[in-house]
Amino acid sequence: MKLKIIGSGGCVSTPRPCCNCPICVEAREKGFPYARTGCSLYLED
Ligand SMILES: [Zn+2]
């Protein structure tokens, strides 16, 4: 079995849906690298 780690930014993605705090607003405006995905794995088998 082969696993590929494709996301390790944090346990919660940024920006969070419907959140209007300054961090999420900045992430929506500027995109990468301010916007981050959450943890994710890709299973190749
Ligand atoms: Zn937020």
Side-chain angles (χ1 to χ4, degrees):
M1 181 169 30
K2 199 168 179 184
L3 282 176
K4 204 179 269 184
I5 298 171
I6 55 175
S8 61
C11 61
V12 179
S13 61
T14 305
R16 288 186 290 172
C18 303
C19 182
N20 288 316
C21 78
I23 293 170
C24 292
V25 170
E26 183 179 35
R28 272 186 214 104
E29 288 171 356
K30 297 182 178 174
F32 180 82
Y34 296 90
R36 293 171 296 162
T37 58
C39 298
S40 33
L41 294 172
Y42 180 72
L43 181 58
E44 292 195 5
D45 291 339

